Amino acid sequence: MFRIKQVLISVVAVLLICGSAGAQVVNGQAAPDFTLTDSNGQKHSLSDYKGKFVVLEWFNPDCPFVKKHYNSGNMPQLQKEYTLKGVIWLSINSSAPGKQGSYTPQGFNQFVKDKGAFPTAILLDTDGKVGHLYDAQTTPHMFVVDPKGILIYQGAIDDVPSADIADVKTAKNYVKAALDAAMNGEPVSMAITKSYGCSVKY
Amino acid sequence: MKRVCWLLVFLLGSINLAVAQEVYQAHTHVRLVSEQNSVVRGGTFWVGLDLILDDGWHVYWQNPGDSGLSPKIKWHLSSGINAGDIHWPYPQRLNVGPLTSFGYEHEVLLLVPITLDKSFQPSKDVNIYASVKWLACQDTCVPGKAELNFLQPIVTSISDIKFNSFKTLFDQTRQDLPQLIPCITSHAALDGNQWRLDIQTPLKRQGDIIFYPFRDDVVEHAAPQETRNVPYGYQLIMTKSHLYHVDLKALEGIAVNPSGWDGKGKTKAIVIQAPLKVVPVRIPFFIACLFALIGGLILNLMPCVLPVLSIKVLYLIDRHPDSKIAFRHSLVYALGVLASVWALALLLFILKSAGQFAGWGFQFQSSVFVVIVALILFFLALNLFGVFEFSAPSINGLPTRQAGYKASFISGVITTIVASPCTAPFMGTALAVAISQPNIIGFGIFTFLGLGLALPFVLLSAFPFLLSFAPRPGAWMIYLKRALGFVLLVCVIWFLGVVGTQTGLVDFSKFYKSSDELHWQRFSSTAVNQARHSGHGVFIDFTAGWCINCQVNDRLVLQNSDVVRAFKDKGIIAFKADWTKYDPSITQALASFDRDSIPVYIYYPPGADAPIILPQIITPGMILERVNNHA
């Protein structure tokens, strides 16, 4: 009897190991759903936006890499261009309370105002749950979800990893390329890249 | 203002030779330094970017890991001066929450070789000038940017070159640069979600190895790495990066061993360029089981197995035993086969978990075992010759009741034992899966192999009409028995030859050497690597004295005059890896092709990275085709 039990336990263990292998978000599969509160107290779920393209942008206002893209106007410009085309742009902050980039809701609204940013909403992920769910590693770290809820891009904002504003001009923007391709019904050529930036301050 | 600065720089440079301009920014003191006070034309010297960090801050290695950014140097040098790539000392793992980065705390010197052309014109000083960008992080990150330079005087004679006080720092740093050590070889394989990196080294010490990949999308940086001590060196188990999406030819990076890689333990880091093992066609479990079943069925036809099986079949034809009893005996026989297959599998898995590599047929590497098998076969042969009859209950008969069951069981065991030095088609793939998978799955596959081996006899016993085509019992049976007895005797002689080779008493291979032979070189992975880099095609024959298919292939194919001529014409270098005795380096090489049974035939076309693995049963045509089409 004891042996049978052991065998059963090993079988279950094997199944569990196999099952847990796919915890990270995978392109071509459904992006995991989540619900977060924004800086104006409103709740947003990813599933609310079925039928639309959704961009998830991990950000931290004090990270030099994020500053590069906001101070150069690159990120606000992207947000404006695509939200006007009907894309939902969710900027997510996963900084733990007390860590760098952990702002009050008013603070985030002020940031949006100061930088002329155009996100659909700034989502507060203070316990880092959604950040871990998506395995967000850096700020910025970008994800693009298609109208069916399928993840079609994950990785860097562009192809020049640097904190230097001067590099924005020459860089190829991966998020823009992914959105443009997907909106034209074409496959995304660079669908997975290594994100660069500061670590997410979990 | 800027001019004044430059003037100062010039003044400082001319007063104090090779002193760097220093900058403190982003929690980092940064300077550009040289270890010598002058240089000569046509010579190479080293320049270092020295980064001294405030406590708790770090800068990054060439692959920064999960977050961060490596320092960048942009050189502004006059023509005639050329800067090489940065030589990075080995980094450390920096864990920030759930993320892991690779970098340096306290201080790091990044070394760059600079070459001065012979024809370099200006006669006085060389201006070593660079724009430097770096990112320093603690919990938070701050980017730094600086323009650095110093002047390096030129002298005409090497003997005028003096080293300065930075020499010590440069020498220390050079010790931390990853070395390329030719006698340490490595290869890597992707097994599902895991990287397996095998590092073969003659000098083994205890210690946990850490691997730092050059690319940022191959290994999950934050995942723990496990070092397994194996007979040939180390095996590292790492998690595949979720970003991994390219087809790599090699896993490249550096491996750091805290107790050192060389005799003195001074070289802590080595460069790893581990070619990727041929990724085995990952076949699903049920296909592996099917392959094992087919392989088991085919094993029945192997020269030493066939006589053993025939003895039992002849009995069925001769005596027409009661079909129910016959069937029951055949089930006990099947049980004997299965029990011994399971025992073998168990042994293999125990050896595997002990870090030993073993493969199908490994027990024939023991001379004692081979002698015992030879003895058993000898008695069976005598029995077939009618020299003596086993008294009932006998191994070859199906006598009544209990004692007879024991005999049936034993004959099942014998069938497995004499089958185990052979590898049938399909089996290699199935067994490779069995060994690489969790043991439960492995046992499942081995079970099907046993079922395949036992099936023909069980079927013949269960459905006697299958034997109705056989002629009526008569004198032919005696002749057949004698013929089979001879086959067994040949097996016995062959096994004795194996023992001779193993113990070094006789070299049986001389008996069957033909005059027109290939020049076979002794296998070693170093020799094979060298041969592959020489631009020649390389053929490797994994064989063993006790492996019957290997011997058949050797004789009929590898000694075939067309094959020999083709090898000679194309300048193919042939290696023989003889597994007759246990040899960890061969076992390891087999594992690198995801095989644990022989024969295995490998052909590397000239200059090719990927080997061609030939089937277990080869024909001269197959070899010629590979050799001619991939020359």
Side-chain angles (χ1 to χ4, degrees):
Chain A
M1 209 43 216
F2 180 65
R3 285 220 182 113
I4 291 172
K5 228 182 196 174
Q6 267 190 331
V7 169
L8 278 178
I9 288 168
S10 352
V11 168
V12 170
V14 167
L15 289 177
L16 279 179
I17 289 164
C18 296
S20 66
Q24 265 138 353
V25 286
V26 179
N27 286 357
Q29 293 184 7
D33 195 19
F34 59 84
T35 304
L36 286 174
T37 309
D38 72 11
S39 54
N40 296 313
Q42 289 227 297
K43 283 197 186 288
H44 298 259
S45 294
L46 181 63
S47 49
D48 297 346
Y49 300 114
K50 275 263 165 77
K52 291 185 168 182
F53 282 98
V54 181
V55 174
L56 307 178
E57 173 212 343
W58 260 266
F59 86 112
N60 161 0
D62 296 331
C63 162
F65 295 89
V66 175
K67 281 185 188 164
K68 163 190 166 187
H69 290 287
Y70 276 90
N71 292 348
S72 64
N74 184 39
M75 196 68 88
Q77 198 273 326
L78 267 183
Q79 292 170 340
K80 191 170 184 177
E81 179 183 346
Y82 286 98
T83 45
L84 286 177
K85 286 182 183 169
V87 172
I88 301 297
W89 193 293
L90 304 172
S91 301
I92 303 175
N93 180 281
S94 295
S95 293
K99 291 266 182 87
Q100 188 198 50
S102 161
Y103 282 33
T104 59
Q106 295 74 24
F108 282 124
N109 287 340
Q110 190 61 43
F111 171 78
V112 169
K113 216 173 140 192
D114 290 348
K115 303 293 174 189
F118 268 85
T120 308
I122 299 255
L123 302 184
L124 312 181
D125 178 36
T126 41
D127 58 6
K129 263 189 192 155
V130 178
H132 286 303
L133 182 64
Y134 277 77
D135 198 31
Q137 295 182 323
T138 60
T139 51
H141 197 164
M142 312 297 296
F143 296 84
V144 180
V145 183
D146 79 358
K148 288 179 199 146
I150 304 293
L151 188 70
I152 54 169
Y153 176 76
Q154 58 174 317
I157 171 95
D158 62 27
D159 66 347
V160 182
S162 85
D164 197 339
I165 287 187
D167 291 326
V168 169
K169 274 183 211 150
T170 54
K172 178 183 181 282
N173 194 297
Y174 289 134
V175 176
K176 189 175 168 57
L179 284 168
D180 289 347
M183 285 172 156
N184 281 328
E186 291 161 13
V188 178
S189 56
M190 288 293 283
I192 184 159
T193 60
K194 172 78 185 79
S195 68
Y196 69 87
C198 312
S199 56
V200 175
K201 311 301 175 196
Y202 290 115
Chain B
M1 192 61 208
K2 227 179 186 176
R3 273 200 191 159
V4 180
C5 266
W6 275 114
L7 203 66
L8 270 173
V9 168
F10 256 89
L11 283 174
L12 281 171
S14 49
I15 297 164
N16 213 338
L17 302 178
V19 166
Q21 180 189 351
E22 188 172 322
V23 163
Y24 177 71
Q25 206 191 96
H27 301 272
T28 319
H29 288 273
V30 189
R31 55 188 177 178
L32 214 48
V33 291
S34 166
E35 61 182 327
Q36 51 195 66
N37 57 7
S38 50
V39 290
V40 288
R41 290 188 182 82
T44 297
F45 62 105
W46 292 86
V47 166
L49 175 66
D50 191 25
L51 298 130
I52 304 167
L53 292 138
D54 287 355
D55 274 355
W57 290 79
H58 58 257
V59 287
Y60 296 91
W61 184 56
Q62 61 189 109
N63 167 14
D66 286 338
S67 65
L69 201 65
S70 49
K72 302 245 171 349
I73 306 176
K74 195 177 166 200
W75 295 99
H76 311 286
L77 302 170
S78 329
S79 68
I81 318 174
N82 294 301
D85 291 332
I86 300 178
H87 288 51
W88 305 80
Y90 71 85
Q92 64 179 103
R93 281 169 78 98
L94 303 159
N95 298 319
V96 187
L99 306 176
T100 295
S101 292
F102 306 141
Y104 313 94
E105 289 175 316
H106 312 300
E107 179 176 6
V108 63
L109 186 69
L110 303 178
L111 296 179
V112 178
I114 298 210
T115 319
L116 203 58
D117 281 359
K118 271 193 183 135
S119 56
F120 185 69
Q121 279 308 316
S123 55
K124 263 185 87 186
D125 297 341
V126 185
N127 185 14
I128 304 298
Y129 171 33
S131 308
V132 179
K133 289 192 214 174
W134 72 99
L135 181 78
C137 296
Q138 190 186 30
D139 279 344
T140 59
C141 300
V142 184
K145 205 173 179 180
E147 307 280 310
L148 301 171
N149 92 321
F150 68 91
L151 296 174
Q152 186 90 71
I154 301 180
V155 289
T156 41
S157 159
I158 292 184
S159 57
D160 290 337
I161 293 179
K162 298 254 161 19
F163 287 97
N164 60 30
S165 56
F166 282 114
K167 175 107 174 48
T168 330
L169 179 63
F170 274 70
D171 283 343
Q172 279 170 4
T173 306
R174 272 189 274 264
Q175 272 189 13
D176 291 344
L177 292 180
Q179 304 293 315
L180 205 79
I181 301 182
C183 64
I184 299 180
T185 55
S186 57
H187 27 83
L190 203 50
D191 186 4
N193 231 10
Q194 278 187 336
W195 282 108
R196 262 193 342 241
L197 173 63
D198 288 306
I199 304 176
Q200 219 171 332
T201 169
L203 255 170
K204 218 186 105 188
R205 296 151 184 274
Q206 291 298 315
D208 281 337
I209 314 287
I210 301 179
F211 179 74
Y212 297 91
F214 288 146
R215 288 181 65 110
D216 57 15
D217 58 356
V218 288
V219 173
E220 201 65 48
H221 304 130
Q225 302 185 354
E226 183 197 341
T227 303
R228 290 182 186 164
N229 284 292
V230 284
Y232 53 82
Y234 307 95
Q235 186 177 56
L236 248 75
I237 306 293
M238 299 173 284
T239 310
K240 183 183 84 177
S241 168
H242 67 288
L243 297 170
Y244 185 77
H245 64 293
V246 283
D247 271 329
L248 286 185
K249 286 202 169 137
L251 184 61
E252 293 176 316
I254 65 170
V256 177
N257 186 348
S259 49
W261 292 99
D262 57 342
K264 292 173 191 153
K266 270 189 178 169
T267 307
K268 305 267 194 246
I270 54 168
V271 177
I272 295 285
Q273 289 165 320
L276 244 57
K277 279 202 288 194
V278 201
V279 178
V281 191
R282 291 197 74 80
I283 52 169
F285 176 63
F286 75 94
I287 299 274
C289 289
L290 186 71
F291 277 18
L293 188 78
I294 298 172
L297 282 170
I298 299 174
L299 275 184
N300 282 288
L301 300 174
M302 294 295 154
C304 300
V305 186
L306 198 61
V308 177
L309 181 73
S310 306
I311 297 169
K312 302 188 66 66
V313 176
L314 284 176
Y315 180 87
L316 287 182
I317 299 171
D318 196 16
R319 307 270 170 92
H320 289 292
D322 176 66
S323 62
K324 264 187 200 163
I325 294 176
F327 180 58
R328 256 182 253 152
H329 273 276
S330 74
L331 289 185
V332 175
Y333 162 83
L335 202 65
V337 170
L338 278 177
S340 39
V341 167
W342 284 330
L344 270 178
L346 191 68
L347 211 61
L348 278 178
F349 292 140
I350 290 171
L351 285 173
K352 189 181 92 176
S353 66
Q356 296 271 333
F357 276 98
W360 180 249
F362 71 99
Q363 67 275 25
F364 282 88
Q365 288 168 344
S366 145
S367 312
V368 178
F369 185 84
V370 179
V371 169
I372 294 171
V373 173
L375 277 177
I376 294 174
L377 291 183
F378 183 63
F379 281 111
L380 277 178
L382 290 186
N383 176 243
L384 281 171
F385 290 140
V387 174
F388 66 91
E389 288 274 347
F390 287 106
S391 56
S394 69
I395 288 173
N396 62 343
L398 286 173
T400 50
R401 302 290 158 204
Q402 305 107 349
Y405 286 124
K406 205 192 273 171
S408 290
F409 186 85
I410 290 172
S411 61
V413 174
I414 290 176
T415 304
T416 309
I417 290 174
V418 293
S420 58
C422 306
T423 310
F426 297 102
M427 252 178 77
T429 325
L431 290 185
V433 176
I435 291 284
S436 64
Q437 294 297 306
N439 295 350
I440 296 178
I441 293 177
F443 263 107
I445 295 171
F446 269 104
T447 305
F448 275 89
L449 180 73
L451 288 177
L453 189 53
L455 200 60
F457 184 66
V458 174
L459 283 181
L460 290 177
S461 312
F463 308 105
F465 66 85
L466 289 174
L467 286 172
S468 54
F469 67 87
R472 262 193 272 177
W476 68 271
M477 292 184 76
I478 295 167
Y479 295 126
L480 184 60
K481 276 186 179 175
R482 298 230 166 114
L484 291 171
F486 270 112
V487 175
L488 280 185
L489 273 190
V490 172
C491 288
V492 170
I493 292 166
W494 168 53
F495 277 126
L496 290 178
V498 170
V499 177
T501 317
Q502 280 170 342
T503 52
L505 289 176
V506 209
D507 187 2
F508 249 72
S509 58
K510 281 183 186 140
F511 277 92
Y512 38 72
K513 253 184 193 156
S514 67
S515 54
D516 192 22
E517 252 249 330
L518 274 176
H519 172 64
W520 290 98
Q521 297 193 26
R522 231 183 102 104
F523 171 86
S524 81
S525 33
T526 323
V528 167
N529 277 342
Q530 274 170 8
R532 281 177 55 202
H533 286 125
S534 71
H536 289 272
V538 170
F539 186 86
I540 315 169
D541 171 19
F542 288 91
T543 183
W546 41 260
C547 160
I548 203 158
N549 337 26
C550 306
Q551 299 306 324
V552 171
N553 285 337
D554 261 12
R555 220 61 35 75
L556 297 181
V557 181
L558 298 180
Q559 291 180 19
N560 174 292
S561 57
D562 289 341
V563 171
V564 172
R565 202 177 316 123
F567 271 43
K568 283 184 177 163
D569 287 351
K570 307 267 174 195
I572 292 169
I573 305 175
F575 288 93
K576 202 179 274 288
D578 191 334
W579 213 32
T580 309
K581 276 197 284 188
Y582 178 70
D583 183 337
S585 70
I586 293 177
T587 321
Q588 156 66 4
L590 276 173
S592 79
F593 297 108
D594 244 306
R595 294 285 155 171
D596 35 45
S597 55
I598 49 174
V600 171
Y601 303 99
I602 303 290
Y603 177 57
Y604 285 99
D609 287 314
I612 299 173
I613 301 185
L614 282 92
Q616 276 137 352
I617 291 184
I618 47 174
T619 62
M622 275 181 196
I623 302 243
L624 292 174
E625 192 229 302
R626 259 69 165 194
V627 169
N628 289 327
N629 291 350
H630 301 272

